[in-house]
Amino acid sequence: MHVYIMACLLQTCISSAISIRHFINLRTSATSMASTDHGGGEEVIRNKQVFLNDYVSGFPEESNLYLTTSSIKLKVPEDQGGKDAVLVKNLYLSCDPFMRGRMQRDLPPDRPELSSYSLGSPIVGFGVGRVVDSRHSDFKKGDLVWGSTIGWEEYTILSEFVPFSFTGMPGMTAYFCFFDIGSPKEGDSVYVSAASGAIGQLVGQFAKLIGCYVVGSAGSKEKVELLKTKFGYDDAFNYKDEHDLDAALKRYFPEGIDIYFENVGGKMLDAVLVNMRLHGRIAVCGMISQYNLEQPESVQNLSAVFYKQIRMEGFAVYEHYHRYSKFLDFVLPCIKEGKIVYVEDITEGLESGPAALVGLFSGRNVGKQVVKVAQE
């Protein structure tokens, strides 16, 4: 079974006999289940968990995260949300750059999905698991569930949630950020930075589907070849080999860039700004080069925004979940017809999770980084 964790997750429904009854966004309360009480005849097993050691400044290191083990009963306690709780065996966990932001201290609490991690609980993120026990009327043992607040542990109890349909953060981000902000049309020249990542690989394919000229950049020869041979990019380059990013962009876009899908920031954004065409669009999805800097780099060429009349806008996928059906209408036929491909970098074992997550910020992964927690 191909599990395109967090981007084209619908492929699972198509290529497997296993049906996914709900895609859900949940709040984790797993640590309260940890127990050494063996009474009542209920099975108690060990539960590996990944915690944040301390809040992070600068580049994250593996030592910022640690693996610990508690005990857990394979039964939803009656005091854990009553009938509205499920116990999930986690199968896959998604490594995403936004998780770095949550490693900072004192983030505003008004957006729980983007607030600071609690040092006393497992870190959380997107993931997929199978229901082991349920006290919720809509879920039964054996159901597959997806969520945005799955704990980094082997077993998680989930409660107080609002069910919604959802095929993955990278997929929805790529689609809505590109089409809403980029407003692409046939013949547009599109540049995608960090193009071999979870979102970039999809943006390039979406752009090609509507007839754009697409160039991507990545950080290794292997990734550049992947963009051209697997994802259908018209061309690609290794930004690490380019001493003059302005000259590189002029080489690939001699008439300028219509749409820039921004994943990097810093020097790359500066070089792009002077190479944008009149009325160009910059869809700001992320700025991974800046996340770990104590003093972010300044951008020198912002004046290009007004004299080239550039539209530059940021994007947050959480505001678009209600538009799921529109995304589905577009992506489902593409998946069925084999017009979209996807590459994952799968790390085995929860104990390997910290290295996989930290590796995002040095470009260690090729494709979407996923941690496989358990064998199905």
Side-chain angles (χ1 to χ4, degrees):
M1 177 178 70
H2 299 288
V3 185
Y4 293 161
I5 306 297
M6 304 309 138
C8 293
L9 296 179
L10 194 60
Q11 178 68 53
T12 307
C13 300
I14 298 168
S15 62
S16 171
I18 299 173
S19 64
I20 302 177
R21 297 181 59 244
H22 294 275
F23 297 87
I24 56 176
N25 183 25
L26 308 165
R27 189 174 72 186
T28 304
S29 54
T31 51
S32 61
M33 285 191 63
S35 173
T36 57
D37 180 11
H38 291 234
E42 297 166 348
E43 184 179 1
V44 178
I45 63 172
R46 307 183 85 178
N47 186 29
K48 293 180 182 177
Q49 301 172 306
V50 174
F51 284 70
L52 185 64
N53 191 42
D54 200 357
Y55 293 110
V56 178
S57 176
F59 276 81
E61 300 177 355
E62 289 182 48
S63 59
N64 296 131
L65 300 160
Y66 69 96
L67 188 75
T68 188
T69 303
S70 65
S71 298
I72 188 170
K73 289 183 180 180
L74 294 185
K75 191 76 174 174
V76 178
E78 294 186 9
D79 61 349
Q80 290 295 325
K83 65 178 181 179
D84 295 326
V86 293
L87 172 63
V88 173
K89 178 181 180 180
N90 292 328
L91 304 178
Y92 294 90
L93 299 172
S94 174
C95 297
D96 295 296
F98 81 89
M99 298 172 72
R100 167 62 185 87
R102 300 194 66 183
M103 295 180 187
Q104 298 179 90
R105 186 189 305 272
D106 298 329
L107 293 178
D110 56 324
R111 295 285 295 274
E113 69 276 5
L114 297 176
S115 61
S116 299
Y117 285 134
S118 169
L119 299 183
S121 301
I123 64 171
V124 298
F126 290 91
V128 57
R130 189 177 293 281
V131 175
V132 175
D133 186 46
S134 175
R135 294 180 60 83
H136 191 287
S137 58
D138 291 337
F139 297 88
K140 68 179 188 299
K141 183 177 180 179
D143 283 346
L144 283 173
V145 294
W146 313 84
S148 62
T149 53
I150 300 290
W152 273 47
E153 54 192 344
E154 293 177 298
Y155 293 87
T156 297
I157 187 169
L158 303 164
S159 61
E160 299 180 24
F161 57 87
V162 179
F164 65 98
S165 296
F166 159 61
T167 59
M169 183 269 286
M172 291 186 69
T173 298
Y175 178 77
F176 288 115
C177 187
F178 178 62
F179 284 101
D180 284 5
I181 301 174
S183 301
K185 60 183 183 296
E186 185 178 357
D188 276 347
S189 294
V190 179
Y191 172 50
V192 184
S193 57
S196 66
I199 295 170
Q201 59 177 286
L202 291 169
V203 172
Q205 293 178 81
F206 292 165
K208 290 302 298 177
L209 285 173
I210 61 172
C212 296
Y213 168 73
V214 188
V215 175
S217 59
S220 72
K221 180 179 179 181
E222 176 188 14
K223 293 178 180 180
V224 167
E225 287 304 306
L226 193 66
L227 293 175
K228 294 189 289 186
T229 61
K230 183 80 172 179
F231 302 135
Y233 275 69
D234 292 292
D235 217 330
F237 64 93
N238 183 349
Y239 70 90
K240 294 180 181 178
D241 292 339
E242 302 291 344
H243 302 294
D244 186 339
L245 291 173
D246 178 29
L249 291 173
K250 282 182 168 58
R251 188 165 71 247
Y252 290 100
F253 298 98
E255 296 181 7
I257 300 166
D258 292 299
I259 302 171
Y260 172 44
F261 197 91
E262 166 69 301
N263 288 310
V264 173
K267 295 181 176 63
M268 183 64 77
L269 175 59
D270 240 354
V272 167
L273 283 167
V274 296
N275 284 280
M276 293 295 293
R277 299 184 70 180
L278 189 67
H279 301 297
R281 287 84 71 198
I282 299 178
V284 183
C285 174
M287 295 188 177
I288 196 169
S289 73
Q290 305 300 296
Y291 296 161
N292 302 309
L293 301 181
E294 294 187 22
Q295 182 62 45
E297 296 173 321
S298 60
V299 177
Q300 305 298 317
N301 296 317
L302 277 176
S303 59
V305 173
F306 67 83
Y307 71 74
K308 293 189 176 187
Q309 301 171 61
I310 297 168
R311 176 189 179 189
M312 184 174 178
E313 184 177 335
F315 179 86
V317 71
Y318 299 100
E319 297 182 357
H320 297 268
Y321 285 146
H322 66 285
R323 303 172 66 196
Y324 159 78
S325 61
K326 182 177 180 180
F327 168 56
L328 197 63
D329 288 343
F330 175 85
V331 78
L332 178 55
C334 294
I335 295 172
K336 285 182 175 178
E337 296 168 20
K339 293 180 178 179
I340 293 176
V341 296
Y342 202 68
V343 171
E344 293 172 329
D345 192 331
I346 300 178
T347 296
E348 300 277 348
L350 187 62
E351 61 277 2
S352 301
L357 179 56
V358 171
L360 290 178
F361 304 100
S362 60
R364 192 184 308 167
N365 59 301
V366 177
K368 171 63 189 169
Q369 184 66 67
V370 176
V371 178
K372 185 177 182 180
V373 181
Q375 183 71 40
E376 262 288 81

